[in-house]
Amino acid sequence: AYGLLNAGYVMLDNSFSEKIRLTWGVRVESYTQTIKATLRSGSKLNKEDNFTDVLPSFNLSYSATEKSKFRLSASRTVNRPEFREIAPFQFIDFENVWTITGNPNLKRANITNVDFRYEYYPSAGEAITAGLFYKNFTNPIEAKMDDQSNLDLLIFSYQNAKSAYAAGVEIDVRKKMSFISDARWLENLIVGGNFSYIYSRVDANNIIGTTSTVGTKADRPLQGQSPYLINGSILYNMPKTGLAFSAMYNRI
């Protein structure tokens, strides 16, 4: 299997005033994905897909003060299937102890992204941001249990669902601890944190039908999408020695 990507883009950066700035443009991608295989029956599979995508984007910012700004951005992106997801053979997922079969008929997913946030920069190296985001998916790739599965052998494949969306809120903080006291070492101590809440839903009626069974729902969150994300970090810089120490925490 192999893939070939050719791309080009045009980007403009315009300041309409001292407070309003727009960065915008478009990217065009031409992607060829080829897979060749010999099936168990001995027949040959030679499949080539060609995709051309026009992907516009813009980022509009408004500087409310010298230390704060509002930002609105939108873009179009794509999510292409991996080779293993389209390869027509079975392999073992050793983490979950089940079998996975690729699907050569998978389509790429098209995604529309919108993001609005407020950014505040108290001083150099510090930032406090809060934002809302929304993503709309067409043809998202989801896993599907094969009809031949049983309790002794679980078999999964991949299939495109009709559509999906994800929306949420994100808060990010990066702050020096020098505000606690005038101690010099606190100037070099930086604490950071990030929290995201994500609500997602996928329309999988074309995969499992409209009837819900125990543990199976046609209207459910995106597979693999955590409803929240937490990151924390503590960083201490030692400018005289060029050393830095950090501790990080992550939870999904």
Side-chain angles (χ1 to χ4, degrees):
Y2 62 89
L4 176 64
L5 174 66
N6 294 290
Y9 73 92
V10 176
M11 187 179 72
L12 300 174
D13 192 346
N14 302 110
S15 295
F16 297 100
S17 68
E18 293 183 356
K19 294 181 176 291
I20 300 176
R21 179 178 177 179
L22 176 65
T23 303
W24 60 290
V26 63
R27 177 181 175 90
V28 179
E29 293 187 351
S30 175
Y31 184 69
T32 301
Q33 190 173 51
T34 303
I35 182 168
K36 299 180 180 181
T38 301
L39 306 182
R40 279 185 170 182
S41 62
S43 61
K44 303 290 185 179
L45 172 69
N46 190 347
K47 190 171 188 297
E48 181 177 284
D49 293 310
N50 297 284
F51 308 108
T52 299
D53 295 288
V54 179
L55 308 172
S57 67
F58 78 87
N59 188 314
L60 178 66
S61 63
Y62 172 75
S63 300
T65 66
E66 292 183 355
K67 295 185 177 183
S68 66
K69 66 175 56 181
F70 293 91
R71 192 184 300 275
L72 174 66
S73 60
S75 64
R76 288 273 292 176
T77 55
V78 294
N79 178 25
R80 302 184 182 93
E82 299 178 359
F83 287 125
R84 182 168 287 192
E85 293 174 336
I86 64 173
F89 71 93
Q90 292 186 349
F91 59 93
I92 303 299
D93 182 332
F94 290 99
E95 182 178 358
N96 296 298
V97 195
W98 58 45
T99 300
I100 298 179
T101 303
N103 178 6
N105 298 315
L106 281 180
K107 303 176 183 177
R108 73 196 184 288
N110 294 281
I111 310 168
T112 300
N113 313 277
V114 180
D115 183 283
F116 176 74
R117 67 178 55 206
Y118 171 75
E119 303 172 355
Y120 176 64
Y121 305 96
S123 64
E126 297 182 327
I128 301 173
T129 66
L132 303 172
F133 60 87
Y134 174 81
K135 295 176 178 288
N136 184 274
F137 301 79
T138 302
N139 297 322
I141 299 172
E142 294 280 294
K144 176 189 176 182
M145 182 179 289
D146 192 277
D147 295 336
Q148 300 178 8
S149 294
N150 55 58
L151 293 178
D152 296 320
L153 178 61
L154 296 178
I155 304 174
F156 287 87
S157 185
Y158 300 99
Q159 189 168 337
N160 293 102
K162 290 182 179 180
S163 62
Y165 70 87
V169 58
E170 181 181 27
I171 300 173
D172 189 273
V173 178
R174 179 182 171 89
K175 181 68 177 174
K176 294 180 180 178
M177 295 293 99
S178 55
F179 71 93
I180 297 177
S181 73
D182 295 332
R184 180 173 298 179
W185 68 274
L186 288 175
E187 180 69 23
N188 299 325
L189 181 64
I190 301 174
V191 175
N194 172 280
F195 171 77
S196 298
Y197 170 77
I198 307 102
Y199 179 85
S200 65
R201 280 294 181 271
V202 59
D203 181 358
N205 288 336
N206 63 312
I207 298 179
I208 63 175
T210 58
T211 302
S212 297
T213 59
V214 177
T216 302
K217 295 181 178 180
D219 180 24
R220 54 163 175 73
L222 279 162
Q223 289 182 12
Q225 177 62 67
S226 174
Y228 68 88
L229 172 66
I230 300 174
N231 293 300
S233 66
I234 299 175
L235 175 66
Y236 185 73
N237 290 313
M238 302 175 65
K240 292 183 179 180
T241 63
L243 297 175
F245 298 89
S246 65
M248 299 182 181
Y249 172 82
N250 170 266
R251 182 177 175 85
I252 59 173

